[in-house]
Amino acid sequence: MRICVYCASSDHADPIYRDAARDLGRRLAESGHSIVYGGGSRGSMGAVADGALDVDGRVTGVLPRFMADLEWGHPGLTELQLVEDMRERKHRLLTGSDAVVALPGGCGTLEELFEAITLKRLGIYLNPIILLDTLDFYAPLDAFMRQVIDARFMNPEHAQMWQRVATPAEVLPAILNAPAWDENARDYAAVRQ
């Protein structure tokens, strides 16, 4: 599988987040899966890449040119694709991926995650979306999304679009056991009365 990983570049967050990212990268690579991610060398971004590369995994980074100009790219990737802007980056990350894994992160990670959820709701992206919930990072977001459903801005079925897991060891089983999602999702993309 080609697994898209959304994660942060901050070196200032608790090191536990980077440890989990590195562990995830290693586990995905050892299981024979490739990673596509934002291409950075720092924070959880660098850690997930390093974890996979440490065991000879395949890692593709997608980096906007302005970030490459700032030397934010990881120097040891299997492949680094330079793109013009963040919009193209997001498109490239998701296109051709068999699953999305969102690690804890800031506004960029959350924006990417919400785009994937939106596309899944519309029946455009059909693959699993997994939230790696290190230190219960995504618990408030999950509660908020359930509030969105309770307020009838989304249907109860939409809660099946993502799964939360606590540890990197749970990510692959969650991907493999995620509820099926197909184009028929468009039939209930609109909120029912």
Side-chain angles (χ1 to χ4, degrees):
M1 283 187 290
R2 176 181 164 110
I3 299 175
C4 172
V5 179
Y6 297 143
C7 50
S9 62
S10 173
D11 282 330
H12 302 291
D14 191 312
I16 289 173
Y17 296 117
R18 291 188 298 284
D19 293 343
R22 187 179 203 104
D23 186 25
L24 176 67
R26 181 185 54 78
R27 287 175 182 276
L28 295 177
E30 286 178 340
S31 297
H33 306 294
S34 67
I35 294 170
V36 60
Y37 84 117
S41 62
R42 301 183 69 171
S44 294
M45 276 197 192
V48 76
D50 289 341
L53 294 168
D54 285 348
V55 294
D56 298 321
R58 180 168 176 75
V59 183
T60 300
V62 182
L63 193 70
R65 289 186 193 283
F66 81 90
M67 289 183 179
D69 292 344
L70 295 169
E71 299 182 355
W72 289 0
H74 193 295
L77 301 178
T78 311
E79 179 183 4
L80 180 62
Q81 299 175 7
L82 295 180
V83 296
E84 292 306 313
D85 55 33
M86 298 296 279
R87 182 172 296 153
E88 185 180 357
R89 178 198 219 182
K90 288 187 305 176
H91 178 72
R92 288 250 191 118
L93 288 171
L94 209 52
T95 300
S97 71
D98 298 299
V100 164
V101 180
L103 280 61
C107 57
T109 301
L110 295 172
E111 194 258 348
E112 291 167 332
L113 171 61
F114 271 100
E115 180 166 319
I117 291 172
T118 299
L119 293 175
K120 191 164 184 175
R121 177 177 174 173
L122 296 173
I124 295 169
Y125 185 78
L126 307 176
N127 298 322
I129 299 172
I130 309 301
L131 310 180
L132 179 52
D133 200 21
T134 306
L135 298 178
D136 287 328
F137 181 85
Y138 281 115
L141 176 65
D142 192 59
F144 174 73
M145 293 302 287
R146 293 186 188 283
Q147 179 182 339
V148 170
I149 290 168
D150 290 346
R152 302 189 52 81
F153 290 106
M154 293 169 63
N155 294 327
E157 298 92 337
H158 293 134
Q160 296 177 27
M161 293 189 297
W162 64 89
Q163 286 74 46
R164 281 174 50 217
V165 298
T167 67
E170 297 171 90
V171 168
L172 280 173
I175 290 171
L176 297 173
N177 295 310
W181 201 262
D182 61 33
E183 288 89 359
N184 293 331
R186 293 176 185 164
D187 294 342
Y188 57 88
V191 176
R192 295 187 308 263
Q193 297 300 322

